[in-house]
């Protein structure tokens, strides 16, 4: 059953703590925290201080999605701040192999994210070191963008690579995931679905989450980590 990772990017940052508490109570499986540096992507969000603050408000796992140049520089601080999993972009460093090992060495799970324009085949020699592949279904930078349809084919390719190599990394899909496409993504093999604007849009989180659960044929209740 696919898990729902709540990206607070579309939430009201003026009440971030309450949003986190409300989301946990609603039953989100984990949080997905989008760190942006204004260079790798054309937007700036937050860093370790805010991750630490979220960490204090929830026991749910924190997946940190680093959209930053030179992710190796920030990785130790992001893990120290409370990331259970840290995903960085293949496009952001010449040494993704080294960084995956380093993140595991820091005691976190290691994830690798790929932009929509990067062939998933480029991940081939990294997959055995990855706990998660974060397949971007929008160009990273903003919540509320439209899902790129080609993602379905990319997901199929990645699932095939995982099977052929006998590997166990999880596949997360990030960007434009709504109840309307969640079922198809889960059916193709996505383990984690990231949602920002589908969860944080003025309606209660519990109600929005229920729509995802229904689309997934899931009776509800957060899954163990
Ligand atoms: C985009 C971020 C996503 C974003 C998803 O750069 O990586 O995690 O918050 O937002 P929605 O679900 O609104 O597309
Ligand atoms: Zn993200």
């Amino acid at each position: 059953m696919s898990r729902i990772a709540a990206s607070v990017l579309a939430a009201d940052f003026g009440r971030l703590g309450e949003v986190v508490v409300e989301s946990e109570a609603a039953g989100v499986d984990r949080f997905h925290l989008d760190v942006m540096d204004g260079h790798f992507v054309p937007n700036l969000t937050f860093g370790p201080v805010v991750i630490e603050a979220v960490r204090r408000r929830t026991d749910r796992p924190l997946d940190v999605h680093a959209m930053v140049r030179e992710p190796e520089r920030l990785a130790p601080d992001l893990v120290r701040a409370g990331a259970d999993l840290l995903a960085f972009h293949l496009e952001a460093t010449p040494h993704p192999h080294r960084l995956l090992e380093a993140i595991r060495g820091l005691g976190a799970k290691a994830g690798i994210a790929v932009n929509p324009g990067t062939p998933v085949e480029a991940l081939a020699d990294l997959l055995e070191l990855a706990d998660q592949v974060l397949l971007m279904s929008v160009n990273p930078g903003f919540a509320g963008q439209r899902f790129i349809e080609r993602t379905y084919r990319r997901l199929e390719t990645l699932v095939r690579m995982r099977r052929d190599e006998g590997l166990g990394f999880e596949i997360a899909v990030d960007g434009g995931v709504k109840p309307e496409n969640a079922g198809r993504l889960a059916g193709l093999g996505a383990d984690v679905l990231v949602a920002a604007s589908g969860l944080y849009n003025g309606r209660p989180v519990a109600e929005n989450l229920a729509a995802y659960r229904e689309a997934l044929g899931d009776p509800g209740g957060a899954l163990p980590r």
Side-chain angles (χ1 to χ4, degrees), residues 7 9 32 34 36 65 67 136 140-144 174-176 194-197:
S7 162
L9 196 54
H32 173 101
D34 290 301
M36 303 187 189
H65 176 193
M67 286 157 276
M136 293 308 299
F142 303 94
D174 185 10
V194 178
S197 53

Side-chain angles (χ1 to χ4, degrees), residues 85-173:
L85 178 146
L86 175 59
F88 63 92
H89 272 262
L90 176 62
E91 303 85 359
T93 173
H95 295 296
H97 190 282
R98 176 185 287 155
L99 186 51
L100 285 168
E101 283 189 320
I103 292 169
R104 284 181 169 180
L106 290 165
K109 292 182 180 170
I112 182 119
V114 276
N115 284 335
T118 302
V120 286
E121 288 83 353
L123 293 168
D125 295 319
L126 298 166
L127 294 176
E128 63 188 14
L129 290 175
D131 298 298
Q132 181 189 85
V133 171
L134 184 59
L135 189 61
M136 293 308 299
S137 38
V138 298
N139 284 292
F142 303 94
Q145 302 184 80
R146 190 156 45 87
F147 181 85
I148 297 172
E149 295 284 318
R150 195 179 166 88
T151 305
Y152 296 119
R153 283 164 65 180
R154 292 162 57 74
L155 176 58
E156 282 171 345
T157 304
L158 193 55
V159 168
R160 204 177 314 122
M161 290 166 74
R162 176 169 66 177
R163 194 192 48 224
D164 290 351
E165 300 268 342
L167 294 171
F169 60 86
E170 67 179 20
I171 301 175
V173 178

